[in-house]
Coordinates of all heavy atoms in Angstrom, one line a residue:
M1 N 135.6 -20.3 105.1 CA 134.8 -19.8 106.1 C 134.6 -18.3 105.9 O 133.5 -17.8 106.3 CB 135.4 -20.1 107.4 CG 134.8 -19.7 108.6 SD 133.7 -21.0 109.1 CE 133.2 -20.4 110.6
N2 N 135.6 -17.6 105.5 CA 135.4 -16.2 105.4 C 134.4 -15.8 104.2 O 133.7 -14.8 104.3 CB 136.8 -15.5 105.0 CG 137.7 -15.4 106.2 OD1 137.2 -15.5 107.4 ND2 139.0 -15.3 106.0
K3 N 134.4 -16.7 103.2 CA 133.4 -16.4 102.1 C 132.0 -16.6 102.7 O 131.1 -15.9 102.3 CB 133.7 -17.4 101.0 CG 135.0 -17.1 100.2 CD 135.1 -18.0 99.0 CE 136.4 -17.7 98.3 NZ 136.6 -18.6 97.2
I4 N 131.8 -17.7 103.4 CA 130.4 -17.9 104.0 C 130.0 -16.8 104.9 O 128.8 -16.4 104.9 CB 130.3 -19.3 104.7 CG1 130.5 -20.4 103.8 CG2 129.0 -19.4 105.5 CD1 130.6 -21.8 104.5
L5 N 130.9 -16.3 105.7 CA 130.6 -15.1 106.6 C 130.3 -13.9 105.8 O 129.4 -13.2 106.1 CB 131.8 -14.9 107.6 CG 131.6 -13.8 108.6 CD1 130.4 -14.1 109.5 CD2 132.8 -13.6 109.4
A6 N 131.1 -13.7 104.8 CA 130.8 -12.5 103.9 C 129.5 -12.6 103.2 O 128.8 -11.7 103.1 CB 132.0 -12.4 102.9
I7 N 129.1 -13.8 102.7 CA 127.9 -14.0 102.0 C 126.8 -13.8 103.0 O 125.7 -13.2 102.7 CB 127.9 -15.3 101.4 CG1 128.8 -15.4 100.2 CG2 126.5 -15.7 100.9 CD1 129.0 -16.7 99.5
T8 N 126.9 -14.4 104.2 CA 125.9 -14.2 105.3 C 125.7 -12.8 105.6 O 124.5 -12.3 105.7 CB 126.2 -15.0 106.4 OG1 126.5 -16.3 106.2 CG2 125.1 -15.0 107.5
V9 N 126.7 -12.0 105.8 CA 126.6 -10.6 106.1 C 125.9 -9.8 104.9 O 125.0 -9.0 105.1 CB 128.0 -10.0 106.4 CG1 128.0 -8.4 106.5 CG2 128.4 -10.6 107.7
F10 N 126.3 -10.2 103.6 CA 125.8 -9.5 102.6 C 124.2 -9.8 102.4 O 123.5 -8.9 102.2 CB 126.6 -10.0 101.2 CG 126.1 -9.4 100.0 CD1 126.3 -8.0 99.8 CD2 125.3 -10.1 99.0 CE1 125.9 -7.4 98.6 CE2 124.9 -9.5 97.9 CZ 125.2 -8.2 97.7
V11 N 123.8 -11.0 102.6 CA 122.5 -11.4 102.5 C 121.6 -10.7 103.7 O 120.5 -10.2 103.5 CB 122.3 -12.9 102.6 CG1 120.8 -13.3 102.8 CG2 122.8 -13.6 101.4
A12 N 122.2 -10.7 104.8 CA 121.5 -9.9 106.0 C 121.4 -8.4 105.7 O 120.4 -7.9 105.9 CB 122.4 -10.2 107.3
F13 N 122.4 -7.9 105.1 CA 122.4 -6.5 104.7 C 121.3 -6.3 103.6 O 120.6 -5.3 103.8 CB 123.7 -6.0 104.1 CG 123.8 -4.6 103.7 CD1 123.8 -3.6 104.6 CD2 123.8 -4.3 102.3 CE1 123.8 -2.3 104.2 CE2 123.8 -3.0 101.9 CZ 123.8 -2.0 102.8
L14 N 121.2 -7.1 102.7 CA 120.1 -7.0 101.6 C 118.8 -7.2 102.2 O 117.8 -6.4 101.9 CB 120.3 -8.0 100.5 CG 121.5 -7.8 99.6 CD1 121.6 -8.9 98.5 CD2 121.2 -6.4 98.8
A15 N 118.6 -8.1 103.1 CA 117.3 -8.3 103.8 C 116.9 -7.1 104.6 O 115.7 -6.7 104.6 CB 117.4 -9.5 104.7
L16 N 117.9 -6.5 105.4 CA 117.6 -5.3 106.1 C 117.2 -4.1 105.2 O 116.4 -3.3 105.5 CB 118.7 -5.0 107.1 CG 118.9 -5.9 108.2 CD1 120.2 -5.6 109.0 CD2 117.6 -5.9 109.1
G17 N 118.0 -4.0 104.1 CA 117.8 -2.9 103.2 C 116.4 -3.1 102.5 O 115.7 -2.1 102.3
A18 N 116.0 -4.3 102.2 CA 114.7 -4.5 101.6 C 113.6 -4.2 102.6 O 112.6 -3.7 102.2 CB 114.6 -5.9 101.0
E19 N 113.8 -4.5 103.8 CA 112.8 -4.2 104.8 C 112.5 -2.7 105.0 O 111.4 -2.3 105.1 CB 113.4 -4.8 106.1 CG 112.3 -4.6 107.3 CD 111.1 -5.5 107.2 OE1 111.2 -6.6 106.6 OE2 110.1 -5.2 107.7
S20 N 113.6 -1.9 104.7 CA 113.4 -0.5 104.9 C 112.6 0.1 103.7 O 112.1 1.3 103.8 CB 114.7 0.2 105.0 OG 115.4 0.2 103.8
F21 N 112.4 -0.6 102.6 CA 111.7 0.0 101.4 C 110.3 -0.5 101.4 O 109.6 -0.2 100.4 CB 112.4 -0.5 100.1 CG 113.7 0.2 99.8 CD1 114.9 -0.4 99.9 CD2 113.7 1.5 99.5 CE1 116.1 0.2 99.6 CE2 114.8 2.3 99.2 CZ 116.1 1.6 99.3
R22 N 109.9 -1.1 102.4 CA 108.4 -1.5 102.4 C 107.5 -0.3 102.6 O 107.8 0.6 103.3 CB 108.2 -2.5 103.6 CG 108.6 -3.9 103.3 CD 108.0 -4.8 104.4 NE 108.4 -6.2 104.2 CZ 108.2 -7.2 104.9 NH1 107.6 -6.9 106.1 NH2 108.6 -8.3 104.6
V23 N 106.4 -0.4 101.9 CA 105.4 0.7 102.0 C 104.4 0.3 103.0 O 103.8 -0.8 103.0 CB 104.7 0.9 100.6 CG1 103.7 2.0 100.7 CG2 105.7 1.3 99.6
P24 N 104.2 1.1 104.0 CA 103.2 0.7 105.1 C 101.8 0.6 104.5 O 101.4 1.5 103.7 CB 103.3 1.9 106.1 CG 103.9 3.0 105.3 CD 104.8 2.4 104.2
R25 N 101.1 -0.4 104.9 CA 99.7 -0.5 104.4 C 98.7 0.4 105.1 O 98.9 0.8 106.2 CB 99.2 -2.0 104.7 CG 99.9 -3.0 103.9 CD 99.2 -4.3 104.1 NE 99.9 -5.3 103.2 CZ 99.4 -6.6 103.2 NH1 98.4 -7.0 103.9 NH2 100.1 -7.5 102.5
Q26 N 97.8 0.9 104.3 CA 96.7 1.7 104.9 C 95.6 0.9 105.5 O 95.4 -0.2 105.0 CB 96.2 2.7 103.8 CG 97.2 3.7 103.3 CD 96.5 4.5 102.2 OE1 95.5 4.2 101.7 NE2 97.3 5.5 101.8
A27 N 95.0 1.4 106.5 CA 93.9 0.7 107.1 C 92.8 0.6 106.1 O 92.7 1.4 105.1 CB 93.4 1.4 108.3
E28 N 91.9 -0.4 106.2 CA 90.8 -0.6 105.2 C 89.9 0.5 105.1 O 89.3 0.9 104.1 CB 90.1 -1.9 105.6 CG 90.9 -3.1 105.4 CD 91.2 -3.4 103.9 OE1 90.4 -3.1 103.1 OE2 92.3 -3.9 103.6
D29 N 89.6 1.2 106.3 CA 88.6 2.3 106.2 C 89.3 3.7 105.8 O 88.6 4.6 105.6 CB 88.0 2.5 107.6 CG 88.9 2.5 108.7 OD1 90.1 2.1 108.6 OD2 88.6 3.0 109.8
E30 N 90.6 3.7 105.8 CA 91.3 5.0 105.4 C 91.3 5.0 103.9 O 91.7 3.9 103.2 CB 92.7 5.1 106.0 CG 92.7 5.4 107.4 CD 94.1 5.6 107.9 OE1 95.0 6.0 107.1 OE2 94.4 5.4 109.0
K31 N 91.1 6.1 103.3 CA 91.2 6.2 101.8 C 92.4 7.1 101.5 O 92.7 8.1 102.1 CB 89.9 6.8 101.2 CG 88.7 5.8 101.3 CD 87.6 6.5 100.5 CE 86.4 5.5 100.5 NZ 85.2 6.1 99.8
G32 N 93.1 6.7 100.3 CA 94.2 7.5 100.0 C 93.7 8.8 99.2 O 92.5 9.0 99.0
T33 N 94.6 9.7 98.9 CA 94.3 10.9 98.3 C 93.7 10.7 96.9 O 92.7 11.3 96.5 CB 95.6 11.8 98.2 OG1 96.2 11.9 99.4 CG2 95.3 13.1 97.6
I34 N 94.2 9.8 96.2 CA 93.6 9.5 94.8 C 92.2 8.9 94.9 O 91.3 9.4 94.2 CB 94.5 8.5 94.0 CG1 95.9 9.2 93.8 CG2 93.9 8.1 92.8 CD1 97.0 8.3 93.1
A35 N 92.0 8.1 95.9 CA 90.6 7.6 96.0 C 89.6 8.7 96.4 O 88.5 8.7 96.0 CB 90.6 6.4 97.1
V36 N 90.1 9.6 97.2 CA 89.2 10.7 97.6 C 88.9 11.6 96.5 O 87.7 12.0 96.2 CB 89.8 11.5 98.8 CG1 89.1 12.8 99.1 CG2 89.9 10.7 100.0
V37 N 89.9 11.9 95.7 CA 89.7 12.7 94.4 C 88.8 12.0 93.4 O 87.9 12.6 92.9 CB 91.1 13.0 93.8 CG1 90.9 13.7 92.4 CG2 91.9 13.9 94.7
V38 N 89.0 10.7 93.2 CA 88.2 10.0 92.3 C 86.7 10.0 92.8 O 85.8 10.1 92.0 CB 88.7 8.5 92.1 CG1 87.7 7.7 91.4 CG2 90.0 8.6 91.3
D39 N 86.5 9.7 94.1 CA 85.1 9.7 94.6 C 84.5 11.1 94.5 O 83.3 11.1 94.2 CB 85.1 9.3 96.1 CG 85.5 7.8 96.3 OD1 85.4 7.0 95.3 OD2 85.9 7.4 97.5
T40 N 85.3 12.1 94.7 CA 84.7 13.4 94.6 C 84.3 13.8 93.1 O 83.2 14.3 92.9 CB 85.7 14.5 95.0 OG1 86.1 14.2 96.4 CG2 85.2 15.9 95.0
L41 N 85.1 13.4 92.2 CA 84.8 13.6 90.8 C 83.6 12.8 90.4 O 82.8 13.3 89.6 CB 86.1 13.2 90.0 CG 87.2 14.2 90.0 CD1 88.4 13.7 89.2 CD2 86.8 15.6 89.6
K42 N 83.5 11.6 90.9 CA 82.4 10.7 90.5 C 81.1 11.3 91.1 O 80.1 11.3 90.4 CB 82.5 9.3 91.1 CG 83.4 8.4 90.4 CD 83.5 7.0 91.0 CE 84.4 6.1 90.3 NZ 84.5 4.8 90.9
S43 N 81.2 11.9 92.3 CA 80.0 12.5 92.9 C 79.6 13.8 92.1 O 78.4 14.0 91.8 CB 80.2 12.9 94.3 OG 81.1 14.0 94.5
Y44 N 80.6 14.6 91.6 CA 80.3 15.7 90.8 C 79.7 15.2 89.4 O 78.7 15.9 89.0 CB 81.5 16.6 90.5 CG 82.0 17.4 91.7 CD1 83.3 17.6 91.8 CD2 81.1 17.8 92.7 CE1 83.7 18.4 92.9 CE2 81.6 18.6 93.8 CZ 83.0 18.9 93.8 OH 83.4 19.6 94.9
Y45 N 80.3 14.2 88.8 CA 79.6 13.7 87.6 C 78.2 13.3 87.7 O 77.4 13.6 86.9 CB 80.6 12.6 87.1 CG 80.0 11.9 85.8 CD1 80.1 12.5 84.6 CD2 79.4 10.7 85.9 CE1 79.6 12.0 83.5 CE2 78.9 10.1 84.8 CZ 79.0 10.8 83.5 OH 78.4 10.1 82.4
D46 N 77.9 12.5 88.8 CA 76.6 12.0 89.1 C 75.6 13.2 89.3 O 74.5 13.1 88.8 CB 76.6 11.1 90.3 CG 77.3 9.7 90.0 OD1 77.5 9.4 88.8 OD2 77.8 9.1 91.0
Q47 N 76.0 14.2 90.0 CA 75.2 15.4 90.2 C 74.9 16.1 88.9 O 73.8 16.5 88.7 CB 75.8 16.3 91.2 CG 75.8 15.8 92.7 CD 76.5 16.8 93.6 OE1 77.2 17.8 93.2 NE2 76.4 16.5 94.9
S48 N 76.0 16.1 88.0 CA 75.7 16.8 86.7 C 74.8 16.1 85.9 O 73.9 16.7 85.2 CB 77.1 16.9 86.0 OG 78.0 17.7 86.8
V49 N 74.9 14.8 85.8 CA 74.0 14.0 85.0 C 72.6 14.1 85.6 O 71.6 14.2 84.8 CB 74.5 12.5 85.0 CG1 73.5 11.5 84.5 CG2 75.8 12.4 84.3
D50 N 72.4 14.0 86.9 CA 71.1 14.1 87.5 C 70.5 15.5 87.2 O 69.3 15.6 86.8 CB 71.1 13.9 89.0 CG 71.5 12.5 89.3 OD1 71.3 11.6 88.5 OD2 71.9 12.3 90.5
T51 N 71.3 16.6 87.2 CA 70.7 17.9 86.9 C 70.3 18.0 85.5 O 69.3 18.5 85.2 CB 71.8 19.0 87.3 OG1 72.2 18.8 88.7 CG2 71.3 20.3 87.0
A52 N 71.2 17.5 84.6 CA 70.8 17.5 83.1 C 69.6 16.7 82.8 O 68.8 17.2 82.0 CB 72.1 17.1 82.4
S53 N 69.5 15.6 83.5 CA 68.3 14.8 83.3 C 67.0 15.5 83.8 O 65.9 15.4 83.2 CB 68.4 13.5 84.0 OG 69.4 12.7 83.4
G54 N 67.2 16.1 84.9 CA 66.0 17.0 85.4 C 65.6 18.1 84.4 O 64.5 18.3 84.2
Y55 N 66.6 18.8 83.9 CA 66.3 19.8 82.9 C 65.6 19.2 81.7 O 64.7 19.8 81.1 CB 67.6 20.5 82.5 CG 68.2 21.4 83.5 CD1 69.6 21.7 83.5 CD2 67.4 22.0 84.5 CE1 70.2 22.6 84.4 CE2 68.0 22.8 85.5 CZ 69.3 23.1 85.4 OH 69.9 23.9 86.4
V56 N 66.1 18.1 81.1 CA 65.5 17.5 80.0 C 64.1 17.1 80.3 O 63.2 17.3 79.4 CB 66.3 16.2 79.6 CG1 65.5 15.4 78.6 CG2 67.7 16.7 79.0
E57 N 63.8 16.6 81.4 CA 62.4 16.3 81.8 C 61.5 17.5 81.9 O 60.4 17.4 81.5 CB 62.4 15.5 83.1 CG 63.0 14.1 83.0 CD 62.3 13.1 82.0 OE1 61.1 13.2 81.9 OE2 63.0 12.5 81.2
T58 N 62.1 18.6 82.5 CA 61.4 19.8 82.5 C 61.0 20.3 81.2 O 59.9 20.8 80.9 CB 62.1 20.9 83.3 OG1 62.5 20.3 84.6 CG2 61.4 22.2 83.4
I59 N 62.0 20.3 80.3 CA 61.7 20.8 78.9 C 60.7 19.9 78.2 O 59.9 20.4 77.5 CB 63.1 20.8 78.1 CG1 63.9 21.9 78.6 CG2 62.8 21.0 76.6 CD1 65.4 22.0 78.0
K60 N 60.7 18.6 78.4 CA 59.8 17.7 77.8 C 58.3 18.1 78.4 O 57.4 18.0 77.7 CB 60.1 16.2 78.1 CG 61.2 15.7 77.3 CD 61.4 14.2 77.6 CE 62.5 13.7 76.7 NZ 62.8 12.2 77.0
G61 N 58.4 18.5 79.7 CA 57.1 18.9 80.3 C 56.4 20.1 79.6 O 55.2 20.3 79.6
Y62 N 57.2 20.9 79.0 CA 56.7 22.1 78.4 C 56.2 21.8 77.1 O 55.5 22.7 76.4 CB 57.8 23.2 78.2 CG 58.4 23.8 79.5 CD1 59.6 24.1 79.6 CD2 57.5 24.0 80.6 CE1 60.1 24.7 80.8 CE2 57.9 24.5 81.8 CZ 59.2 24.9 81.9 OH 59.8 25.5 83.0
K63 N 56.3 20.7 76.5 CA 55.8 20.2 75.2 C 56.3 21.1 74.0 O 55.5 21.5 73.2 CB 54.3 20.0 75.3 CG 53.8 19.0 76.2 CD 52.4 18.9 76.2 CE 51.9 17.8 77.3 NZ 50.5 17.7 77.2
L64 N 57.5 21.5 74.1 CA 58.1 22.4 73.1 C 58.1 21.9 71.8 O 57.9 22.6 70.7 CB 59.5 22.8 73.5 CG 59.6 23.7 74.8 CD1 61.0 24.0 75.1 CD2 58.8 25.0 74.6
E65 N 58.2 20.5 71.7 CA 58.4 19.9 70.3 C 57.0 20.0 69.6 O 56.9 20.3 68.4 CB 58.7 18.4 70.5 CG 58.9 17.7 69.2 CD 59.4 16.3 69.4 OE1 59.9 16.0 70.5 OE2 59.2 15.5 68.4
E66 N 55.9 19.8 70.3 CA 54.6 20.0 69.8 C 54.3 21.4 69.3 O 53.7 21.6 68.3 CB 53.5 19.4 70.8 CG 53.6 18.0 71.0 CD 52.6 17.6 72.1 OE1 51.7 18.4 72.5 OE2 52.7 16.4 72.6
K67 N 54.7 22.3 70.2 CA 54.5 23.7 69.9 C 55.4 24.1 68.7 O 54.8 24.9 67.7 CB 54.9 24.6 71.0 CG 53.9 24.5 72.3 CD 54.4 25.3 73.5 CE 53.5 25.1 74.6 NZ 53.9 25.9 75.8
A68 N 56.6 23.6 68.5 CA 57.4 23.9 67.3 C 56.7 23.3 66.1 O 56.7 24.0 65.1 CB 58.8 23.4 67.6
K69 N 56.2 22.2 66.2 CA 55.6 21.6 65.0 C 54.3 22.4 64.6 O 54.0 22.6 63.4 CB 55.0 20.2 65.3 CG 56.3 19.2 65.3 CD 55.7 17.8 65.7 CE 56.9 16.8 65.7 NZ 56.5 15.4 66.1
T70 N 53.6 22.9 65.6 CA 52.4 23.7 65.3 C 52.8 25.1 64.6 O 52.2 25.4 63.7 CB 51.6 24.0 66.6 OG1 51.3 22.7 67.2 CG2 50.4 24.8 66.4
I71 N 53.8 25.7 65.2 CA 54.3 26.9 64.6 C 54.8 26.7 63.2 O 54.5 27.4 62.3 CB 55.4 27.5 65.5 CG1 54.8 28.0 66.8 CG2 56.1 28.6 64.8 CD1 55.8 28.5 67.8
Y72 N 55.5 25.6 63.0 CA 56.0 25.3 61.6 C 54.9 25.1 60.6 O 54.9 25.6 59.5 CB 56.9 24.1 61.7 CG 57.3 23.6 60.3 CD1 58.4 24.3 59.7 CD2 56.8 22.5 59.7 CE1 58.8 23.9 58.4 CE2 57.2 22.1 58.4 CZ 58.3 22.8 57.8 OH 58.6 22.4 56.5
S73 N 53.9 24.3 61.0 CA 52.8 24.1 60.1 C 52.0 25.3 59.8 O 51.5 25.5 58.7 CB 51.9 22.9 60.6 OG 51.2 23.3 61.8
D74 N 51.7 26.1 60.8 CA 51.0 27.4 60.6 C 51.9 28.3 59.7 O 51.3 29.0 58.8 CB 50.8 28.1 61.9 CG 49.7 27.4 62.8 OD1 49.1 26.5 62.2 OD2 49.7 27.7 64.0
T75 N 53.2 28.4 59.9 CA 54.0 29.2 59.0 C 54.0 28.7 57.6 O 53.9 29.5 56.6 CB 55.4 29.2 59.5 OG1 55.4 29.7 60.9 CG2 56.3 30.1 58.8
V76 N 54.1 27.4 57.4 CA 54.0 26.9 56.0 C 52.7 27.2 55.3 O 52.7 27.6 54.2 CB 54.3 25.3 56.0 CG1 54.0 24.7 54.7 CG2 55.8 25.1 56.4
R77 N 51.6 27.0 56.1 CA 50.3 27.3 55.6 C 50.2 28.9 55.1 O 49.8 29.2 54.0 CB 49.2 27.0 56.5 CG 47.9 26.9 55.9 CD 46.8 26.3 56.9 NE 47.4 25.5 57.9 CZ 47.1 25.6 59.2 NH1 46.3 26.5 59.7 NH2 47.7 24.7 60.1
A78 N 50.7 29.7 56.0 CA 50.6 31.2 55.7 C 51.5 31.6 54.5 O 51.1 32.3 53.6 CB 51.0 32.0 57.0
V79 N 52.7 31.0 54.5 CA 53.6 31.3 53.3 C 53.1 30.8 52.1 O 53.1 31.5 51.1 CB 55.0 30.8 53.6 CG1 55.9 30.9 52.5 CG2 55.6 31.5 54.8
G80 N 52.5 29.6 52.1 CA 51.8 29.0 50.9 C 50.7 29.9 50.4 O 50.6 30.1 49.2
T81 N 49.9 30.4 51.3 CA 48.8 31.3 50.9 C 49.3 32.5 50.3 O 48.9 32.9 49.2 CB 47.9 31.6 52.2 OG1 47.5 30.5 52.7 CG2 46.8 32.5 51.7
Y82 N 50.3 33.3 50.9 CA 50.8 34.5 50.4 C 51.6 34.2 49.1 O 51.6 35.1 48.1 CB 51.7 35.2 51.4 CG 50.8 35.8 52.5 CD1 50.9 35.4 53.8 CD2 49.9 36.9 52.2 CE1 50.1 35.9 54.7 CE2 49.2 37.5 53.1 CZ 49.2 37.0 54.4 OH 48.4 37.5 55.4
A83 N 52.3 33.0 49.0 CA 53.0 32.8 47.7 C 52.0 32.6 46.6 O 52.3 33.0 45.5 CB 53.8 31.4 47.9
G84 N 50.9 32.0 46.8 CA 49.8 31.8 45.9 C 49.3 33.2 45.4 O 49.1 33.4 44.2
I85 N 49.0 34.0 46.3 CA 48.5 35.4 46.0 C 49.5 36.1 45.2 O 49.2 36.8 44.2 CB 48.2 36.2 47.3 CG1 47.0 35.5 48.0 CG2 47.9 37.7 47.0 CD1 46.7 36.1 49.4
F86 N 50.8 36.1 45.6 CA 51.8 36.8 44.8 C 52.0 36.2 43.4 O 52.1 37.0 42.4 CB 53.2 36.5 45.5 CG 54.3 37.2 44.8 CD1 54.5 38.6 44.8 CD2 55.3 36.4 44.2 CE1 55.6 39.1 44.1 CE2 56.4 36.9 43.5 CZ 56.5 38.4 43.5
Q87 N 51.8 34.9 43.3 CA 51.9 34.2 41.9 C 50.7 34.6 41.1 O 50.9 35.0 39.9 CB 51.9 32.7 42.1 CG 52.0 32.0 40.8 CD 52.0 30.4 41.0 OE1 51.8 30.0 42.1 NE2 52.2 29.7 39.9
D88 N 49.5 34.8 41.6 CA 48.4 35.2 40.9 C 48.6 36.7 40.4 O 48.3 37.0 39.3 CB 47.1 35.1 41.7 CG 46.7 33.7 41.8 OD1 47.1 32.9 41.0 OD2 45.8 33.5 42.7
Q89 N 49.1 37.5 41.2 CA 49.3 38.9 41.0 C 50.4 39.0 39.9 O 50.2 39.9 39.0 CB 49.8 39.7 42.2 CG 48.7 39.8 43.3 CD 47.5 40.7 42.8 OE1 47.7 41.6 42.1 NE2 46.4 40.3 43.1
L90 N 51.5 38.3 40.0 CA 52.5 38.3 39.0 C 52.0 37.9 37.6 O 52.3 38.5 36.6 CB 53.6 37.5 39.4 CG 54.9 37.6 38.7 CD1 55.5 39.0 38.7 CD2 55.9 36.6 39.1
Y91 N 51.2 36.8 37.7 CA 50.6 36.3 36.4 C 49.7 37.3 35.7 O 49.8 37.6 34.5 CB 49.8 35.1 36.7 CG 49.0 34.5 35.5 CD1 49.8 33.7 34.5 CD2 47.8 34.7 35.2 CE1 49.2 33.2 33.4 CE2 47.2 34.2 34.1 CZ 47.8 33.5 33.2 OH 47.2 33.0 32.0
H92 N 48.9 38.0 36.5 CA 48.0 39.1 35.9 C 48.8 40.3 35.5 O 48.3 40.9 34.5 CB 46.9 39.4 36.9 CG 45.9 38.4 37.0 ND1 45.0 38.0 36.0 CD2 45.6 37.6 38.1 CE1 44.2 37.0 36.5 NE2 44.5 36.7 37.8
I93 N 49.9 40.6 36.1 CA 50.7 41.7 35.6 C 51.3 41.4 34.3 O 51.4 42.2 33.3 CB 51.8 42.1 36.7 CG1 51.1 42.7 37.9 CG2 52.8 43.0 36.1 CD1 52.0 43.0 39.0
L94 N 51.9 40.1 34.1 CA 52.6 39.8 33.0 C 51.6 39.4 31.8 O 52.0 39.7 30.7 CB 53.5 38.5 33.3 CG 54.7 38.9 34.3 CD1 55.4 37.6 34.5 CD2 55.6 39.9 33.7
Y95 N 50.5 38.8 32.1 CA 49.7 38.3 31.0 C 48.3 39.0 31.0 O 47.3 38.4 30.8 CB 49.5 36.8 31.1 CG 50.8 36.0 30.9 CD1 51.4 35.4 32.0 CD2 51.4 35.9 29.8 CE1 52.5 34.7 32.0 CE2 52.6 35.2 29.6 CZ 53.1 34.6 30.7 OH 54.3 33.9 30.6
S96 N 48.3 40.2 31.3 CA 47.0 41.0 31.3 C 46.6 41.1 29.9 O 47.3 41.3 28.9 CB 47.2 42.3 32.0 OG 48.1 43.1 31.3
Q97 N 45.1 41.0 29.7 CA 44.6 41.2 28.5 C 44.2 42.6 28.2 O 43.7 43.2 29.1 CB 43.4 40.3 28.3 CG 43.8 38.8 28.3 CD 42.5 37.9 28.1 OE1 41.5 38.4 28.1 NE2 42.8 36.6 28.1
D98 N 44.5 43.1 27.1 CA 44.1 44.4 26.7 C 42.7 44.4 26.4 O 42.2 43.6 25.5 CB 44.9 45.1 25.6 CG 46.4 45.3 26.1 OD1 46.5 45.6 27.3 OD2 47.3 45.1 25.3
S99 N 41.9 45.3 26.9 CA 40.4 45.3 26.5 C 40.2 46.3 25.4 O 39.1 46.6 25.0 CB 39.6 45.7 27.7 OG 40.0 47.0 28.1
H100 N 41.2 46.8 24.8 CA 41.0 47.8 23.7 C 40.8 47.1 22.4 O 41.0 46.3 21.8 CB 42.3 48.6 23.5 CG 42.6 49.4 24.7 ND1 43.4 50.4 24.7 CD2 42.2 49.4 26.0 CE1 43.5 51.0 25.9 NE2 42.8 50.3 26.7

């Protein structure tokens, strides 16, 4: 009988001890600290993505790619012309015919 009483007291003690370690539940509409931080970071990320997308669309609106292609083709044409002139001058300097 003493063993049964001791076991009953021990089980009751464990049950009461386990009860004290329960974590109280949060209400459904309350958010924890981690959830608030995660939501804040998500909103900052979304704002950053939206801002970057806006900048990209603005840059596309300036048609910089077409302007860069035009500048490149004009530069290649001008350099080609001056390179041809330089080549002709160099040829005439090196292989000039003496009229004597």
Side-chain angles (χ1 to χ4, degrees):
M1 179 93 169
N2 287 339
K3 290 182 181 179
I4 293 176
L5 181 64
I7 291 173
T8 305
V9 170
F10 182 70
V11 170
F13 178 73
L14 287 178
L16 291 174
E19 182 72 27
S20 67
F21 286 113
R22 281 193 179 172
V23 177
R25 289 188 180 182
Q26 293 180 350
E28 291 295 324
D29 52 337
E30 286 185 25
K31 291 186 177 182
T33 305
I34 294 175
V36 171
V37 170
V38 168
D39 288 343
T40 304
L41 291 175
K42 282 182 183 179
S43 70
Y44 286 152
Y45 175 77
D46 291 339
Q47 287 176 352
S48 300
V49 169
D50 291 341
T51 303
S53 297
Y55 288 154
V56 168
E57 291 301 319
T58 302
I59 289 171
K60 284 182 181 178
Y62 293 147
K63 298 182 181 178
L64 293 178
E65 186 176 338
E66 293 174 13
K67 290 178 183 179
K69 286 179 182 178
T70 304
I71 290 171
Y72 175 76
S73 63
D74 291 345
T75 304
V76 167
R77 198 172 331 132
V79 168
T81 302
Y82 287 113
I85 293 171
F86 178 73
Q87 183 180 3
D88 286 344
Q89 292 295 321
L90 189 62
Y91 177 80
H92 287 294
I93 289 171
L94 293 176
Y95 299 108
S96 64
Q97 294 181 359
D98 291 326
S99 60
H100 300 195

